[in-house]
Amino acid sequence: MKALVLDEIGSSFRLADVDISEPIGKEVLVEVKASGLCHSDLTASSL
């Protein structure tokens, strides 16, 4: 699965292949089809 990974605060995201374990117990795996980002989210992340 592809994921954007942030290794440390203040650095850039990197695209990486990651392995996701099968859910156990009461866990669930959710497939995200879309997401959004507001401009204010970008300014809040730089605080």
Side-chain angles (χ1 to χ4, degrees):
M1 169 183 298
K2 298 281 187 193
L4 286 176
V5 178
L6 183 65
D7 293 314
E8 69 179 54
I9 295 173
S11 67
S12 297
F13 287 97
R14 65 181 173 85
L15 184 61
D17 287 311
V18 295
D19 294 322
I20 303 294
S21 301
E22 290 294 320
I24 57 172
K26 294 184 178 185
E27 295 177 339
V28 296
L29 181 60
V30 177
E31 182 179 356
V32 177
K33 294 286 189 171
S35 67
L37 186 65
C38 176
H39 182 270
S40 62
D41 294 335
L42 295 173
T43 57
S45 65
S46 63
L47 297 176

